[in-house]
């Protein structure tokens, strides 16, 4: 489960799940490239990583744009010479009834959640292929497996990510790259803060949750580190 000497790239690393995973990777010995649109958020995370004795590389980019993705990956490679772990975590949601979804809503959610994960995987896989090793971890959602009230576009994007994980796992295995995913239920993040503040909604969520509570971000770090480490070397195409 140790990540000593590894270079990880984590998207959406300024807040929530991405921040927790980036710091968790550093705790296990990895140097971490942290990517987000907002530099201030990344600077705070970088300080925590540096305080752990690891290197932090700040990268600002809009992952909905392929040109930004390509430039960001080049930037990381130029500073680190390699990328061992990619965590596709960047995501957003617009909670709108299907009958009210606009084309702009559709494009924004799909581009941020699914398109970004594919093109980041494509760019980083080109580097991992030359290394003959690598780990790609896609952060999807239970909403990609069952119908829940998160919005049809978000659910479709996360379902696409889960299936994309399987196909990329098949294609990239010959390059020594493992592709897996983590599909969280409800966790305390900025993305869920508003809906979970609604007691009626929260009660419904908890009533469908075997553990009887929402998740804590630290509980996602272990699975991410496991999938990034040599302990998962024979696992690919799976979503936890």
């Amino acid at each position: 489960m140790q990540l000593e000497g590894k270079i990880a790239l984590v998207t959406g690393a300024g807040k929530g799940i991405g921040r927790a995973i980036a710091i968790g990777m550093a705790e296990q010995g990895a140097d971490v490239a942290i990517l987000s649109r907002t530099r201030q958020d990344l600077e705070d995370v970088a300080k925590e990583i540096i305080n752990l004795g690891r290197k932090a590389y700040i990268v600002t980019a809009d992952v909905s744009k392929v040109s930004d993705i390509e430039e960001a990956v080049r930037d990381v490679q130029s500073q680190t010479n390699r990328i061992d772990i990619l965590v596709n975590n960047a995501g957003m949601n617009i909670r709108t009834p299907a009958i009210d979804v606009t084309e702009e809503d559709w494009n924004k959610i799909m581009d941020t959640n699914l398109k970004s994960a594919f093109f980041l995987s494509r760019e980083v896989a080109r580097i991992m292929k030359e290394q003959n090793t690598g780990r790609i971890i896609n952060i999807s959602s239970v909403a990609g497996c069952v119908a829940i009230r998160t919005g049809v576009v978000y659910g479709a994007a996360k379902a696409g990510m889960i299936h994309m994980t399987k196909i990329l796992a098949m294609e990239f295995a010959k390059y020594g790259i493992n592709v897996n995913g983590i599909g969280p239920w409800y966790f305390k993040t900025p993305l869920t803060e508003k809906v979970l503040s609604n007691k009626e909604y929260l009660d419904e969520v908890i009533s469908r949750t075997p553990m009887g509570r929402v998740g804590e971000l630290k509980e996602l770090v272990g699975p991410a580190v496991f999938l990034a480490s040599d302990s998962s070397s024979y696992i690919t195409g799976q979503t936890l």
Side-chain angles (χ1 to χ4, degrees):
M1 295 283 281
Q2 293 298 306
L3 303 177
E4 294 287 343
K6 303 292 186 182
I7 304 293
L9 168 57
V10 182
T11 71
K15 298 178 181 178
I17 292 173
R19 179 189 183 109
I21 289 176
I23 294 169
M25 297 276 182
E27 287 174 337
Q28 297 304 317
D31 295 330
V32 189
I34 47 177
L35 186 154
S36 179
R37 286 183 297 181
T38 308
R39 186 176 182 88
Q40 181 58 54
D41 291 339
L42 295 176
E43 288 176 350
D44 293 340
V45 181
K47 289 177 184 176
E48 295 196 48
I49 291 171
I50 292 167
N51 286 339
L52 292 166
R54 308 313 310 170
K55 294 179 182 178
Y57 305 92
I58 293 177
V59 184
T60 56
D62 180 352
V63 295
S64 69
K65 299 177 181 178
V66 175
S67 58
D68 274 26
I69 289 171
E70 293 170 342
E71 183 177 350
V73 173
R74 284 195 299 268
D75 184 14
V76 174
Q77 187 181 26
S78 70
Q79 295 185 73
T80 65
N81 294 319
R82 63 184 296 116
I83 300 174
D84 301 290
I85 303 157
L86 168 64
V87 181
N88 283 312
N89 167 73
M92 55 85 66
N93 195 9
I94 302 170
R95 289 182 170 84
T96 308
I99 202 167
D100 297 323
V101 170
T102 65
E103 183 179 10
E104 182 181 4
D105 293 341
W106 175 277
N107 289 338
K108 189 172 184 178
I109 297 169
M110 283 291 182
D111 287 355
T112 304
N113 294 6
L114 184 57
K115 175 183 166 183
S116 71
F118 172 74
F119 284 101
L120 275 154
S121 297
R122 185 195 70 176
E123 290 303 301
V124 172
R126 289 171 174 171
I127 297 169
M128 292 177 172
K129 177 183 176 182
E130 297 305 311
Q131 301 167 178
N132 198 37
T133 184
R135 300 284 191 273
I136 296 175
I137 303 168
N138 295 320
I139 307 299
S140 57
S141 171
V142 169
C145 300
V146 299
I148 60 178
R149 289 188 292 168
T150 56
V152 62
V153 188
Y154 180 84
K158 293 303 186 178
M161 180 178 278
I162 290 169
H163 202 61
M164 181 181 75
T165 296
K166 298 176 183 179
I167 296 171
L168 293 184
M170 281 203 310
E171 288 204 24
F172 292 170
K174 60 180 174 288
Y175 307 136
I177 303 170
N178 298 58
V179 187
N180 290 292
I182 299 172
W185 180 234
Y186 281 89
F187 280 74
K188 296 176 181 177
T189 72
L191 192 65
T192 62
E193 184 178 12
K194 185 175 180 180
V195 294
L196 293 180
S197 66
N198 180 321
K199 186 178 184 305
E200 183 180 354
Y201 192 95
L202 176 60
D203 288 346
E204 183 179 347
V205 167
I206 290 175
S207 73
R208 298 178 65 184
T209 306
M211 299 299 287
R213 60 177 176 82
V214 297
E216 300 287 345
L217 289 177
K218 63 183 179 181
E219 294 172 304
L220 289 173
V221 173
V225 169
F226 168 65
L227 291 175
S229 74
D230 290 341
S231 295
S232 63
S233 58
Y234 199 58
I235 300 172
T236 198
Q238 305 303 308
T239 296
L240 300 179

